[in-house]
Amino acid sequence: MESHSRERARRFVELHREGCFLLPNAWDVGSARILQEAGFPAVATTSAGVAFSLGRPDHDYFAEHGPAGRVDRDTMMRRVGEIAGEIAVPLSADLEDGYGEAPEVVASTISMALAVGAAGGNIEDFTGDRARPLYDQALATDRIQAARAALDAGGEPFVLVGRTDALLVGGSLDECVHRANAYLAAGADCAFVPGAGDAATIATLVRELDGPLNVVMGLTGNALSLDDLRALGVRRVTVGGSIARSMYRHLLSAARELADQGTFSYADDQLSQTDLNQLFQPGPDQTRH
């Protein structure tokens, strides 16, 4: 790992030590640069946003779209590397299930993410198989343990996040707690439980988990603010694919206006060419590979 990437990764590790921070999710270099410009101390990728930018589905059961519809590991790693190479803040990568069931595959995925400049990454237990939506807890734990071993062997700073999708597939809060704690014990630095969106559920997770908690906001909008989440004891807040979905909503509205009405009012609310040029002007500390 180059010295600049190592320093970014160290800063990212420190963000997880105490307090609460917002880690917004980008899907390409442009979106990451805008989030960096807004002043966030780090940026994450969203597998949903990357998939949508490539015209692919995300986080679905494979039978609905076929395994070929999923973004493959090499494509995702190229995108992660592109983003990491064009921003000055740390980047955490959404690595889905590690792109394979075997712990050895997950370890390889983590090593690849580290090599392309990621300062952290999620590994989830969602399988994409409706008959078995989550990996067996023992196997899921082995997968996190393999990822941790790969990182320890490399000796570089990296925030490993163990994600359980139990709530998203109808599981209980108790199952989420058991799984998340197993992942933390196996070497994850932070637990991630998507689907936990109300104060009572989040408070229970903060109380019962043996490590920092990441929650995702913006799935459908939420009454809880960052201050509320900080008061509950949440360590890290992400927004998943919600910014990307919002952008695509505007794109779809513009397309429908053009196709159905032949009018151009969508253009009344846009960033100017000058504004975007200024936003995307490389700074003196811009990292480029």
Side-chain angles (χ1 to χ4, degrees):
M1 180 181 284
E2 296 180 2
S3 60
H4 184 78
S5 294
R6 184 177 296 108
E7 177 55 32
R8 286 189 301 181
R10 286 174 179 156
R11 295 202 313 267
F12 193 54
V13 170
E14 288 302 314
L15 284 172
H16 294 76
R17 300 292 190 200
E18 60 182 3
C20 178
F21 71 102
L22 181 56
L23 180 68
N25 301 76
W27 57 94
D28 60 12
V29 172
S31 57
R33 292 283 300 278
I34 287 175
L35 293 172
Q36 173 183 267
E37 180 66 22
F40 292 102
V43 174
T45 63
T46 159
S47 65
V50 173
F52 300 153
S53 74
L54 296 168
R56 304 282 188 87
D58 172 74
H59 199 281
D60 202 352
Y61 294 103
F62 296 157
E64 272 78 328
H65 58 74
R70 184 185 188 189
V71 177
D72 64 88
R73 183 170 69 173
D74 287 345
T75 299
M76 187 64 75
M77 289 300 172
R78 282 195 297 271
R79 182 63 61 89
V80 171
E82 288 170 2
I83 297 172
E86 294 289 343
I87 60 174
V89 297
L91 179 70
S92 185
D94 181 351
L95 301 173
E96 303 188 77
D97 74 333
Y99 300 96
E101 178 172 335
E104 296 80 9
V105 175
V106 175
S108 175
T109 296
I110 286 289
S111 296
M112 291 173 69
L114 188 65
V116 298
N122 305 345
I123 296 294
E124 64 194 40
D125 55 14
F126 180 70
T127 66
D129 181 353
R130 191 176 291 279
R132 184 188 60 137
L134 300 180
Y135 289 112
D136 176 80
Q137 183 175 319
L139 174 58
T141 303
D142 288 344
R143 287 154 44 81
I144 296 295
Q145 192 170 38
R148 181 79 264 165
L151 291 169
D152 289 347
E156 299 289 352
F158 190 96
V159 176
L160 176 62
V161 179
R163 166 175 160 166
T164 178
D165 284 18
L167 286 181
L168 298 183
V169 300
S172 69
L173 185 55
D174 282 346
E175 181 182 6
C176 288
V177 169
H178 290 147
R179 282 178 171 269
N181 276 334
Y183 304 162
L184 289 165
D189 301 297
C190 182
F192 180 16
V193 185
D198 63 275
T201 299
I202 292 171
T204 298
L205 288 169
V206 170
R207 182 177 65 251
E208 298 295 330
L209 294 186
D210 299 326
L213 173 66
N214 179 105
V215 298
V216 59
M217 295 287 109
L219 296 181
T220 58
N222 196 285
L224 295 175
S225 68
L226 184 61
D227 285 341
D228 294 330
L229 296 167
R230 182 180 291 112
L232 287 168
V234 171
R235 183 60 45 83
R236 189 174 97 165
V237 182
T238 51
V239 297
S242 62
I243 301 176
R245 289 192 296 271
S246 179
M247 293 281 289
Y248 279 105
R249 173 68 181 86
H250 288 293
L251 174 59
L252 183 59
S253 294
R256 285 176 172 166
E257 179 186 352
L258 288 168
D260 299 342
Q261 303 173 40
T263 57
F264 311 95
S265 65
Y266 73 89
D268 293 338
D269 184 20
Q270 63 175 301
L271 286 171
S272 72
Q273 184 86 1
T274 298
D275 287 341
L276 284 169
N277 283 342
Q278 291 177 342
L279 277 169
F280 294 145
Q281 184 67 31
D285 62 344
Q286 192 64 49
T287 301
R288 292 185 180 276
H289 297 301

